[in-house]
Amino acid sequence: MPLLYLLINVSLANTNTGIHFSYNSTSGWEKINKEGAAYINGGILELSNASSASYCGWATYNKPIPLVDNITGMPASFLTQFTVYIKATNTTIRGDGLTFFLSSYPRIELVNPCGGYLGLFTADNKMDSSQNQVVAVEFDTHRNDWDPTTNHVGIDVNNIYSVVVRNLDDTIPGVIYRKAWVNYSADDQTLRVSLSDVQSSQEPSNTFLSYKVNLTQVLPKTVVVGFSASTGYAAEIHQIHSWEFSTTFGSRKNAPLKAKSIPLIVLVFVLCAIGVTLLLGGFGWFLVWRKKSLKKRGDKRDLPTKYRHKELVVATSNFAPKNKLGEGGFGPVYKGYMRNSCDEVAVKLLKQGSNQGSKEFNTEVETLGKQRHPNLVELFGWCDEKGELLLVYKYMPNGSLNSLLYDKHRLLLWPKRYEIAINLADALCYLHTENEHKKIIVHRDIKPDNVLLDSSLNAKLGDFGLARQVGYSLSANTTNAVGTRGYAAPELFQEEGRIKPSTQSDIYSFGVVLLEIACGRRPVDQNLVQFVWEHYGRNKLLEAADERLRGEYNVKEIERMMFVGLWCSHPGASERPTIGLVRSALLFEDCDLPVHPRSKPIYRSSLSGQSFDGSAIAKLFNSNGTSMGRSQEAIGGA
């Protein structure tokens, strides 16, 4: 009885209660998730800043907001007020704007949502309401094809074309500084926007903009609320100086059930709560039992899960052709869904009878399986039943850096390119110096094909089939060339392979990748290092930048990336920096930068003293331009 009484009281306490929070320059923004360019600066929420061209920023409340009371079925009303400050750095070219938005929880990560898409849409879904679940009030400062004017406030419902719009005049040219009030009434299903002076503490009686919409029909029952801002060609300051938000639940006339039925609802809820408690207890016991069972099935300590073959057959629909993501040198890769863990996975099926494939399998499990870092591809598990070797990875929905960098239909914007470079530097710092196993791990095949991108375009370094722990299992008498044409360090192919792969050879490969990210050119199509070095020698480094970017990049960042790329890809291994120096240079931290010669140095063997140019080294590769005995697949790639 005491438990029943407590449950009834808890149930009644949770009925018709709303959410309220308030932030300003003195109260802190501790429960706000900040993504992209967003950060807190002196008590002000910055969504972009004066130097953030082609950037997006998001700031959202860190808990879900219910739009419907789970017990009574009543729809929610809400009132929010916030102080918005927008300042153009160039009053001639402005952009792009800021929004207050509600969307599905958690917020869906999008590919290239900056510029005119305001951080909420993409080129593919901007006009397709069936793909979106978002309602927004936009403060738009740049006129795109779908905009009626330059400076306006609009209400967007599931696409970027505002259903209602009203011009907004600047009191000061290039500056918007107002307090905005957004009020949604569940009673009349109307969203209202009002504007006032920043000092006002009362919602204005005059409505600036309104639109009749039933939020429960266009949004899910639980949403995320917050702000987004984006810039395109021009930088613009987007700030929120204060934010208050509260919800209440609509009048009982809107509730689907009568008031007299509430006690019955509470009773049903109590019984369901007891049942759910018992069910969760049983499920918890099952998970503990299963974890112990899986641990027993693993035959190596600290390694990922050992899966049963039938689990992977079910996950991939018996390796159905429709789930095939691609084919590498050692076998195909399939997309799968693990029902027990609700994880999307990529399953690499290594070819039978391949001795090299078996070695790759063991290396991948023993190396990647022991490492945990946000910028390494996560190896979930493995299987060696029925004469097959399978590796199970976390699925990467955006494929490889190689596929996206050269995609004819999508452009990888500069801010994300620079983030990817930092991600890779972090991954190499971990492998070379910081991993918890205190081992120096040499990857040996760093290239865009082995850099995978998650839903937020965060980079994950993968494919560890060639990786080695220095001083553990790598012989100085290695005879097989390792790496991929265009990315492999020149010293690996001299003196019949007696120079073993090292952190310096990884640095060389990373340097080539940096140049490729900045220039948008494949190193196998031309001598990329030579190409960039020639432009550097003529003081024309920006002319080597990717033409598809059309100059939309941070000049200091792209020059720094190419400079560091040349530093890393120096023909002399002893002249290359450590990954720690590379990371510091990319982050513009204090470090000593070298003075590059105006022409590319010629490689000189440290063992024989013989000089080589790039054409001589290229002949050591096979004719199709791949690594010797290597797969070029990207796990989870599109």
Side-chain angles (χ1 to χ4, degrees), residues 251-267:
S251 62
R252 291 182 182 274
K253 68 180 182 180
N254 291 322
L257 300 176
K258 296 181 179 179
K260 65 181 182 180
S261 64
I262 296 301
L264 177 60
I265 296 174
V266 173
L267 179 60

Side-chain angles (χ1 to χ4, degrees), residues 436-455:
E436 56 266 29
H437 298 281
K438 308 300 180 183
K439 297 286 187 180
I440 296 176
I441 299 173
V442 180
H443 186 280
R444 304 207 298 175
D445 199 18
I446 298 169
K447 59 183 178 181
D449 265 328
N450 290 338
V451 178
L452 305 182
L453 305 172
D454 67 11
S455 59

Side-chain angles (χ1 to χ4, degrees), residues 282-398:
F283 184 65
W285 175 87
F286 169 75
L287 290 178
V288 172
W289 171 85
R290 178 170 176 78
K291 184 176 180 180
K292 291 181 178 179
S293 175
L294 291 174
K295 189 173 182 180
K296 289 179 180 179
R297 279 158 48 187
D299 59 359
K300 296 181 180 181
R301 189 177 179 181
D302 294 332
L303 295 185
T305 301
K306 180 180 180 181
Y307 290 103
R308 301 296 299 271
H309 188 272
K310 62 182 180 182
E311 290 180 271
L312 302 183
V313 168
V314 172
T316 60
S317 301
N318 198 21
F319 302 100
K322 66 178 182 180
N323 290 331
K324 189 174 181 180
L325 297 171
E327 180 108 18
F330 296 128
V333 182
Y334 295 88
K335 182 179 179 181
Y337 181 76
M338 305 303 295
R339 297 180 181 178
N340 290 340
S341 60
C342 300
D343 288 315
E344 286 187 306
V345 296
V347 181
K348 180 197 288 188
L349 175 60
L350 299 180
K351 291 179 180 178
Q352 295 184 9
S354 169
N355 183 53
Q356 184 62 30
S358 179
K359 290 180 179 179
E360 181 186 76
F361 174 85
N362 291 328
T363 301
E364 192 91 3
V365 173
E366 293 179 4
T367 303
L368 184 56
K370 293 181 180 180
Q371 311 307 322
R372 295 291 181 269
H373 189 273
N375 297 118
L376 297 181
V377 173
E378 187 174 356
L379 179 65
F380 282 162
W382 53 287
C383 176
D384 60 353
E385 297 179 0
K386 299 186 180 296
E388 293 183 326
L389 302 177
L390 301 104
L391 294 168
V392 183
Y393 304 86
K394 184 175 182 178
Y395 174 66
M396 296 287 108
N398 279 307

Side-chain angles (χ1 to χ4, degrees), residues 65 114 375 455 513 518 522:
I65 305 295
C114 299
N375 297 118
S455 59
V513 172
R522 301 181 193 273

Side-chain angles (χ1 to χ4, degrees), residues 545-562:
D546 191 343
E547 294 179 353
R548 294 179 65 198
L549 292 172
R550 297 181 180 179
E552 291 186 46
Y553 45 69
N554 182 302
V555 172
K556 290 183 178 179
E557 287 181 346
I558 199 167
E559 287 183 334
R560 177 59 61 92
M561 184 182 287
M562 286 193 275

Side-chain angles (χ1 to χ4, degrees), residues 606-627:
S606 61
L607 297 181
S608 66
Q610 185 177 1
S611 299
F612 292 86
D613 60 18
S615 60
I617 295 172
K619 294 177 182 179
L620 294 170
F621 288 93
N622 55 2
S623 59
N624 64 4
T626 65
S627 335

